[in-house]
């Protein structure tokens, strides 16, 4: 907890592994819960709720989310967690399962309260150095980049990637898949109050979370998804959605002065699900942020980000800036920023 308020902006780590056939095995899903708790103890957070399907397991954490696939793990944490310290225990547990890391991606915005962050998150330079020293040497294709915008410093996007040579070929087998990371600040105050629990509420976090999902309209963003949600006391909310092999996640810090919400999902171009632009319009209507950023990681070219820009501009958000960068084994990252006409 920062002295001025809770840090909503998340750190996100994605690790890909090889060595286990996901078609016949379960890979990382074989991790015992005690091993997961050990990893999270290094990060300084805990599991508060969990759900799984045939494709992956999703955990709501005391600070954001964890997703475990057979050969991929994604950890997203907020507050003053030490996310990158999860790497050594994860590599150790994966080795015992016969898995070897083949790529790493780390992303985040700028923190609202940067001076409250502990090492190695004291600066992006420190984070990049820690990653360089911690990741094994066979991940030889590495890049660290800061993607700027015309908005305040929170909306600078930081990316570190590392991969082995073989992964450059592997990523092209699924070129239409994209990941979208959305950060929103200055949330509408009336809508933000819906993420505060009523005075005297004695419900569990799970029950209160389900009520918030309905009350806020989050349940309508992807009605077909299986939702695992949790409401914190006295305020704050997290959810993970499972839609087949795809996940989505939302996290909300609603306090005035540093209100923040995030949305993240994975999609595929040309699938039969709702267009991503329409999905983001629903997200914006839940929160009505004054400022937001959208980061899209894809090998599919510019179609996705143009779709997003056109959709958001129809509901009063102006695209203030965009920047594109290329990363080993990841394709392109397009980073866009938006503001409402009232800002």
């Amino acid at each position: 907890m920062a002295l001025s308020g809770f840090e909503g902006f998340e750190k996100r780590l994605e690790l890909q592994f090889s060595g286990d056939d996901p078609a016949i095995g379960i890979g990382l899903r074989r991790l015992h819960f005690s091993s997961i708790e050990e990893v999270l103890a290094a990060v300084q957070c805990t599991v508060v709720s969990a759900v799984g399907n045939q494709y992956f397991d999703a955990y709501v954490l005391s600070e954001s989310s964890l997703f475990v696939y057979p050969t991929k793990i994604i950890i997203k944490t907020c507050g003053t967690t030490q996310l990158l310290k999860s790497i050594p225990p994860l590599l150790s547990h994966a080795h015992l399962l016969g898995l070897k890391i083949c790529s790493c991606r780390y992303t985040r915005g700028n923190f609202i309260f940067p001076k409250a962050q502990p090492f190695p998150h004291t600066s992006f330079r420190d984070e990049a150095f820690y990653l360089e020293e911690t990741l094994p040497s066979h991940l030889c294709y590495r890049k660290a980049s800061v993607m700027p915008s015309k908005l305040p410093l929170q909306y600078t996007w930081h990316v570190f990637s590392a991969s082995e040579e073989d992964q450059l070929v592997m990523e092209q087998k699924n070129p239409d898949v994209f990941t979208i990371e959305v950060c929103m600040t200055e949330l509408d105050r009336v809508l933000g109050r819906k993420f505060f629990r009523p005075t005297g509420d004695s419900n569990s976090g799970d029950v209160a979370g389900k009520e918030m999902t309905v009350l806020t309209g989050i349940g309508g963003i992807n009605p077909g998804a299986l939702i695992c949600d949790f409401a914190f006391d006295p305020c704050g909310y997290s959810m993970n959605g499972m839609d087949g092999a795809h996940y989505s996640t939302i996290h909300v810090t609603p306090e005035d002065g540093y209100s923040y919400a995030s949305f993240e999902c994975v999609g595929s171009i040309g699938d039969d699900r709702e267009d991503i632009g329409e999905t983001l319009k629903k997200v914006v209507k839940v929160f009505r942020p004054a400022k937001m950023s959208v980061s899209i990681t894809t090998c599919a070219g510019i179609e996705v980000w143009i779709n997003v820009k056109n959709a958001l501009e129809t509901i009063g958000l102006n695209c203030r800036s965009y920047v594109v960068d290329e990363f080993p084994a990841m394709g392109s990252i397009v980073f866009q920023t938006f503001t409402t006409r009232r800002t």
Side-chain angles (χ1 to χ4, degrees), residues 51-94:
V51 70
N53 65 11
Q54 68 185 97
Y55 299 101
F56 67 103
D57 300 311
Y59 300 85
V60 176
L61 306 180
S62 54
E63 280 85 9
S64 299
S65 292
L66 165 67
F67 302 98
V68 181
Y69 288 80
T71 57
K72 176 172 66 177
I73 192 163
I74 300 161
I75 311 181
K76 186 170 186 173
T77 64
C78 56
T80 55
T81 50
Q82 297 171 282
L83 175 60
L84 295 182
K85 289 190 175 180
S86 67
I87 296 176
L90 276 174
L91 296 185
S92 176
H93 289 305

Side-chain angles (χ1 to χ4, degrees), residues 130-157:
Y130 184 89
L131 285 160
E132 290 280 5
E133 293 295 307
T134 305
L135 293 171
S137 60
H138 70 271
L139 300 187
C140 55
Y141 291 82
R142 303 185 179 197
K143 180 175 180 178
S145 180
V146 178
M147 304 176 72
S149 77
K150 295 181 180 178
L151 296 187
L153 287 178
Q154 293 99 288
Y155 288 95
T156 300
W157 198 240

